[in-house]
């Protein structure tokens, strides 16, 4: 899915406390949050991950065109294998692969890899959130753009339970409408803080 870069920048501006912030995006997707980060004056460093090696030239072009005065560290690898420093990130903002909503390519067929929704929760979503929590500074926010699909109902509530067990509480839920159309179905951005 594509993400609105203006909304992305607004989220960074709203949730970051200082002008030397480090942000983490475990699932870079098409580079929308990268572009939003590069346009935000509060961000010193963007750290991103994605499995799709075909998007590497796209990320490199975005950085070349818009990345002046920013440190960008992106890896083409599975975020579950990421090596991150503890207490090093000011904000996590991402949109993880939905269990069965999109076909991401032969390099990562999420629905096949994780067999069923419960398995996906236990072996993907929960470990991802644990890695994010460990990387976060004590006052960091975690913002996750994820919603229900035709076969996965209650994703947000499940995410809230996972985060509660990790000592993070829901601060707000932002309704992210498709193309800004408030008459369309929205996908929530769940925002948590310790």
């Amino acid at each position: 899915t594509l993400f609105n870069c203006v909304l992305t920048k607004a989220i960074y501006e709203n949730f970051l406390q200082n002008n030397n912030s480090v942000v983490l995006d475990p699932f870079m997707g098409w580079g929308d949050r990268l572009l939003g980060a590069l346009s935000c004056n509060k961000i010193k460093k963007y750290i991103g991950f994605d499995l799709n090696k075909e998007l590497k030239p796209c990320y490199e072009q975005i950085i070349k065109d818009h990345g002046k005065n920013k440190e960008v560290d992106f890896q083409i690898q599975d975020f579950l294998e990421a090596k991150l420093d503890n207490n090093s990130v000011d904000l996590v903002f991402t949109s993880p692969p939905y269990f069965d909503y999109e076909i991401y390519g032969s390099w990562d067929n999420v629905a096949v890899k994780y067999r069923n929704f419960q398995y996906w929760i236990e072996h993907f979503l929960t470990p991802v959130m644990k890695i994010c929590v460990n990387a976060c500074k004590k006052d960091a926010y975690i913002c996750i753009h994820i919603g229900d699909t035709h076969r996965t109902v209650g994703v947000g509530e499940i995410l809230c339970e996972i985060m509660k067990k990790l000592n993070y509480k829901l601060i707000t839920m932002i309704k992210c409408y498709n193309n800004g159309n408030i008459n369309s179905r929205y996908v929530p951005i769940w925002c948590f803080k310790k």
Side-chain angles (χ1 to χ4, degrees):
T1 55
L2 293 175
F3 204 87
N4 183 317
C5 296
V6 174
L7 176 59
T8 299
K9 181 181 178 185
I11 287 172
Y12 290 135
E13 294 283 347
N14 188 57
F15 288 103
L16 290 171
Q17 308 297 314
N18 63 61
N19 289 339
N20 291 311
S21 296
V22 176
V23 297
L24 171 63
D25 184 357
F27 307 100
M28 293 173 67
W30 296 109
D32 325 74
R33 288 174 302 280
L34 167 62
L35 186 56
L38 295 177
S39 69
C40 177
N41 292 330
K42 290 185 173 184
I43 296 174
K44 177 179 84 173
K45 181 177 182 180
Y46 171 93
I47 303 168
F49 293 84
D50 207 275
L51 283 173
N52 189 348
K53 62 183 176 246
E54 295 171 9
L55 289 174
K56 184 177 180 183
C58 174
Y59 300 149
E60 290 170 341
Q61 189 65 50
I62 291 170
I63 294 163
K64 180 181 173 192
D65 292 345
H66 305 284
K68 313 269 187 291
N69 304 319
K70 299 282 186 197
E71 186 179 344
V72 178
D73 176 13
F74 78 89
Q75 314 267 328
I76 303 297
Q77 77 169 70
D78 187 342
F79 181 69
L80 290 173
E81 298 171 5
K83 303 290 185 242
L84 296 166
D85 292 333
N86 288 345
N87 305 311
S88 61
V89 172
D90 297 291
L91 172 70
V92 175
F93 183 26
T94 200
S95 184
Y98 294 21
F99 168 68
D100 66 347
Y101 188 64
E102 295 175 311
I103 302 298
Y104 293 93
S106 59
W107 44 268
D108 186 39
N109 191 338
V110 175
V112 171
K113 186 175 180 179
Y114 292 104
R115 292 181 261 177
N116 64 54
F117 185 53
Q118 187 59 40
Y119 192 84
W120 176 81
I121 292 165
E122 294 170 8
H123 296 275
F124 177 75
L125 189 60
T126 300
V128 162
M129 293 301 105
K130 286 180 181 178
I131 294 169
C132 291
V133 165
N134 288 336
C136 281
K137 294 178 182 175
K138 68 175 181 153
D139 59 346
Y141 289 90
I142 298 177
C143 299
I144 307 297
H145 178 247
I146 194 167
D148 294 339
T149 67
H150 61 285
R151 293 191 318 179
T152 57
V153 177
V155 173
E157 292 77 11
I158 292 165
L159 177 62
C160 289
E161 283 301 311
I162 292 168
M163 296 307 288
K164 185 176 179 181
K165 290 176 185 174
L166 296 172
N167 297 316
Y168 271 71
K169 63 181 175 179
L170 181 66
I171 301 300
T172 191
M173 186 272 289
I174 300 166
K175 295 178 180 179
C176 185
Y177 291 96
N178 188 18
N179 297 322
N181 178 359
I182 62 170
N183 295 319
S184 69
R185 180 181 160 271
Y186 70 87
V187 177
I189 301 171
W190 305 90
C191 303
F192 301 93
K193 190 172 183 183
K194 207 167 221 176

